[in-house]
């Protein structure tokens, strides 16, 4: 006959194993997220080579993602709309499009406290303009 102590030990052991499994899985997920962010490379865009039009771009870095619509007229960025911004605490990075329009460049400062979201939005704009 199985006693209560054996059942409790089995249940606790199973809980520990399951917890470790999900903990390791989450750790790997976070490492992948950090690597994606670390490897974001924002290119210098030559606007003289970008035709008039509206361009869509997106970038997903697991925890943070952005879809943007960029309008170019006479080789100038005239409008950038964030269609979707998946973020954790990066809402304040949504000023990045204004900075890009003002600078007419993707080489703008990121927003402190929302660096990852800033980089993701910039990469989405980069992808829109490289098309």
């Amino acid at each position: 006959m199985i006693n209560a102590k054996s059942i409790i030990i089995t249940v606790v052991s199973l809980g520990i194993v399951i917890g470790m499994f999900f903990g390791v899985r989450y750790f790997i997920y976070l490492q992948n997220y950090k690597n994606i962010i670390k490897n974001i490379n924002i290119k210098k865009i030559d606007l003289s080579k970008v035709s008039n039009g509206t361009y869509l771009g997106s970038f997903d870095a697991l925890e943070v993602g952005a879809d943007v619509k960029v309008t170019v007229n006479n080789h100038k960025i005239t409008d950038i709309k964030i269609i979707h911004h998946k973020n954790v605490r990066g809402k304040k990075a949504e000023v990045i499009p204004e900075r890009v329009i003002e600078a007419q460049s993707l080489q703008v400062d990121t927003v402190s406290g929302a660096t990852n979201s800033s980089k993701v939005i910039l990469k989405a704009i980069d992808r829109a303009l490289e098309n």
Side-chain angles (χ1 to χ4, degrees):
M1 188 168 136
I2 301 175
N3 62 25
K5 188 176 179 181
S6 295
I7 293 173
I8 291 171
I9 290 172
T10 302
V11 169
V12 169
S13 297
L14 188 59
I16 291 170
V17 169
I18 290 171
M20 287 175 60
F21 171 77
F22 285 108
V24 167
R25 212 172 134 188
Y26 183 68
F27 176 77
I28 292 169
Y29 174 83
L30 283 180
Q31 287 307 113
N32 287 338
Y33 166 66
K34 288 178 183 179
N35 285 333
I36 291 169
I37 295 296
K38 183 176 103 180
N39 291 318
I40 290 176
N41 180 25
I42 308 299
K43 299 180 193 104
K44 290 187 178 185
I45 299 295
D46 183 356
L47 289 171
S48 69
K49 295 180 180 176
V50 180
S51 301
N52 291 346
T54 300
Y55 303 93
L56 299 175
S58 64
F59 189 75
D60 186 22
L62 302 175
E63 288 290 304
V64 182
D67 299 314
V68 297
K69 181 168 67 169
V70 181
T71 304
V72 175
N73 191 14
N74 293 324
H75 307 290
K76 291 187 184 268
I77 301 169
T78 57
D79 190 38
I80 302 172
K81 296 271 191 260
I82 297 175
I83 299 166
H84 175 70
H85 181 209
K86 172 178 70 170
N87 68 81
V88 180
R89 295 179 303 268
K91 183 96 171 129
K92 58 186 177 178
E94 294 180 2
V95 300
I96 290 294
E98 296 169 28
R99 292 180 180 182
V100 169
I101 292 169
E102 184 177 312
Q104 290 297 303
S105 170
L106 299 181
Q107 310 307 308
V108 298
D109 291 337
T110 58
V111 177
S112 179
T115 304
N116 293 352
S117 282
S118 298
K119 288 180 176 182
V120 166
I121 291 169
L122 285 167
K123 189 60 182 177
I125 297 167
D126 180 353
R127 285 189 165 176
L129 293 174
E130 75 181 5
N131 293 334

